[in-house]
Amino acid sequence: MGRIHTHLWFADQAEQAAEFYVSLIPNSSITSVVKAPPGVPDVPEGAVFVVDLLLDDHQVTLLNAGPAFQLDEAFSFVLDCGDQAEIDHYWDALVAGGGEHSQCGWLKDRFGVSWQVVPAGFNDMLGDDADPAARARAMAAVLTMTKLDIAAIEAAFEGTA
């Protein structure tokens, strides 16, 4: 069976995005940079064309290929965080420099890539079949948030909010 990895299309900022991501996410590195050969549409010969990287040991390929396709919220990286301090750190770093806040823990970074910055175990809490009322309270709280607030979600789940 082949190995699955992520491939994202950028107009022209793949290398800058890769450098930013590996500087932010532990266990990450750029593994190769390929320059464009002659004849690639919308990419000057010799410009950065393909950047391969590991993001927390997950293989990702970033492609510079012009403006024909745009990134959107239909795809996102999910970043599981151990506590509120991690959520705050990654949220602030990812929206810095022109990113956009969204809702329910989603944001778009300055390169147009969508991220979900969530507490570890987030889906377990929202999928708790043992207590549908707790799940509904937690989901209702999440729907009011941009950056997630773990304490507020837990209080809603427990019915103490």
Side-chain angles (χ1 to χ4, degrees):
M1 178 174 176
R3 182 169 181 212
I4 297 172
H5 73 275
T6 302
H7 186 274
L8 300 177
W9 178 303
F10 288 78
D12 61 5
Q13 292 189 308
E15 187 173 34
Q16 295 88 339
E19 289 170 351
F20 173 63
Y21 300 151
V22 302
S23 75
L24 181 62
I25 308 295
N27 304 314
S28 299
S29 62
I30 294 173
T31 57
S32 73
V33 176
V34 175
K35 304 290 181 159
V40 176
D42 295 322
V43 183
E45 180 179 346
V48 172
F49 183 43
V50 177
V51 181
D52 286 310
L53 62 146
L54 293 173
L55 268 184
D56 194 21
D57 294 328
H58 173 76
Q59 186 178 348
V60 178
T61 298
L62 306 182
L63 172 75
N64 279 332
F69 297 106
Q70 301 295 312
L71 296 163
D72 67 28
E73 293 79 2
F75 168 87
S76 64
F77 286 115
V78 178
L79 184 54
D80 293 320
C81 298
D83 57 25
Q84 190 65 47
E86 275 193 2
I87 288 176
D88 295 346
H89 167 74
Y90 287 116
W91 183 275
D92 294 343
L94 287 165
V95 298
E100 301 173 14
H101 298 245
S102 191
Q103 65 180 46
C104 304
W106 259 280
L107 63 86
K108 191 180 287 188
D109 70 26
R110 67 181 179 248
F111 301 104
V113 175
S114 291
W115 295 78
Q116 297 176 56
V117 182
V118 301
F122 182 62
N123 287 336
D124 294 337
M125 181 183 300
L126 296 181
D128 186 356
D129 291 330
D131 192 344
R135 182 180 66 227
R137 288 190 305 269
M139 179 54 77
V142 166
L143 291 172
T144 68
M145 299 176 185
T146 52
K147 178 174 64 173
L148 297 183
D149 179 333
I150 296 171
I153 297 167
E154 289 174 345
F157 185 82
E158 295 164 4
T160 60

